[in-house]
Amino acid sequence: MAQRALCVGINQFRRYPQFQLNGCVHDAQDMAALLTGTLGWRKSEITLLLDKKATKAAILARLAKFVDQAKAGKLQRIVFSWSSHGTQVADTSGDEPDGVDEAFVPYDVAEKDGDWDPEHIIVDDELHDLFAALPPAVELEVFLDTCHSGTGLRGAEFSLHAPRPRFVAPPSRQGTLRQREATGFVLGRDAEQPGEHHVLWTGCKANQTSADAYFDGRYNGAFTYYLVKATKDGGGRRTRDEVLQAMRQAMKGKFSQVPQLETRATNRASAVAH
């Protein structure tokens, strides 16, 4: 099967040193290693975009290339993993009841007119519209180790390597943290009918934060760390539902975030990036 993956990890941000994270580059590298190791992908099938290379233009250009190849019948599977900050922007399309869209923070994030500059922030609608153009038979699996809104991190006050949330509040005066009860990012052609072969993993519920945390002598996202571990422990043969349950069990009592898996039932019974 012709397949391609894009693994993005951003610890550093060009204009905002205060946004620094520690585990995102490791996340991207670990996702790539999981694909080429346990899951049997070839290195030539995977693109890594880390820190300075992970601009909005570079990320969307690579994903658009994958979509074009899929539309031309040259790709049957696409995997996209994202580890960085999440944020929010004012909804301009009128499709969000609470008036904000979820957004993803690239290396070159910038402000303009009191809000995020549209040229340097990735809004969930942009990714949705891009992926919605995929042919129905193409498999798409997306992993988002980021936050959309927050309720805090359990135990963050007590550790030398305290976990921190992967969320930055928007700069606008209306940029208070909005508590989301519904998922802000939807794959497929509409929210009610996701693509038949589309799979979305998120590091937390839409009203939680994803942790950038310390494991085994280095930093990772908690979601990515336990996803990789659960998949490897099963030799790549565990179903997605089995991986999800193993992750949730391992994280229970350690992190307040609860990983989510959104897809059709038939995809839940298949292995990760199978």
Side-chain angles (χ1 to χ4, degrees):
M1 176 183 289
Q3 56 192 10
R4 293 291 184 274
L6 174 63
C7 301
V8 175
I10 311 169
N11 288 335
Q12 308 290 332
F13 302 86
R14 180 188 292 165
R15 300 172 180 88
Y16 301 93
Q18 69 272 27
F19 288 0
Q20 179 177 328
L21 292 166
N22 296 303
C24 295
V25 168
H26 287 154
D27 285 352
Q29 293 169 335
D30 290 353
M31 287 297 295
L34 177 68
L35 291 171
T36 58
T38 303
L39 301 180
W41 288 51
R42 296 191 298 270
K43 288 185 178 180
S44 61
E45 296 172 330
I46 300 168
T47 299
L48 276 168
L49 289 179
L50 309 175
D51 284 341
K52 293 181 179 180
K53 293 186 177 180
T55 63
K56 174 178 179 175
I59 294 164
L60 292 188
R62 179 62 60 169
L63 291 176
K65 181 179 180 180
F66 290 170
V67 171
D68 287 343
Q69 290 174 327
K71 290 165 68 176
K74 298 178 181 178
L75 279 185
Q76 287 77 50
R77 180 189 295 149
I78 296 171
V79 167
F80 173 46
S81 75
W82 171 274
S83 290
S84 178
H85 280 299
T87 187
Q88 294 168 339
V89 298
D91 173 33
T92 58
S93 62
D95 64 345
E96 295 287 358
D98 61 359
V100 293
D101 275 314
E102 309 305 345
F104 307 94
V105 181
Y107 169 76
D108 58 325
V109 64
E111 297 176 36
K112 182 178 181 180
D113 299 329
D115 208 337
W116 298 125
D117 184 347
E119 297 298 317
H120 299 284
I121 197 78
I122 301 175
V123 180
D124 61 353
D125 287 350
E126 295 177 276
L127 291 181
H128 173 273
D129 292 347
L130 182 65
F131 292 141
L134 286 169
V138 172
E139 298 175 13
L140 172 67
E141 192 154 9
V142 175
F143 303 86
L144 300 178
D145 198 340
T146 185
C147 305
H148 304 303
S149 61
T151 54
L153 285 172
R154 179 173 300 154
E157 304 88 353
F158 305 113
S159 170
L160 174 64
H161 301 288
R164 59 176 301 187
R166 291 182 174 182
F167 182 87
V168 290
S172 65
R173 284 176 293 179
Q174 295 78 30
T176 55
L177 211 60
R178 304 293 183 89
Q179 298 303 314
R180 305 302 300 272
E181 295 300 335
T183 299
F185 178 58
V186 179
L187 293 181
R189 287 164 173 75
D190 59 63
E192 300 301 324
Q193 283 294 324
E196 181 177 355
H197 303 292
H198 292 185
V199 179
L200 173 63
W201 297 81
T202 59
C204 59
K205 293 181 179 179
N207 63 340
Q208 296 177 324
T209 57
S210 288
D212 193 69
Y214 193 74
F215 304 92
D216 304 329
R218 68 171 196 160
Y219 288 92
N220 274 103
F223 166 77
T224 300
Y225 176 84
Y226 287 107
L227 172 78
V228 170
K229 185 177 188 304
T231 305
K232 284 184 175 179
D233 286 351
R237 294 181 296 275
R238 281 178 168 169
T239 67
R240 292 186 177 97
D241 258 340
E242 289 170 342
V243 169
L244 179 68
Q245 295 309 314
M247 293 170 64
R248 287 179 172 177
Q249 184 62 35
M251 296 170 72
K252 188 175 182 179
K254 300 175 183 176
F255 296 91
S256 58
Q257 70 191 81
V258 181
Q260 303 295 299
L261 171 62
E262 299 176 23
T263 189
R264 298 190 179 195
T266 52
N267 297 324
R268 289 177 171 270
S270 299
V272 175
H274 67 284

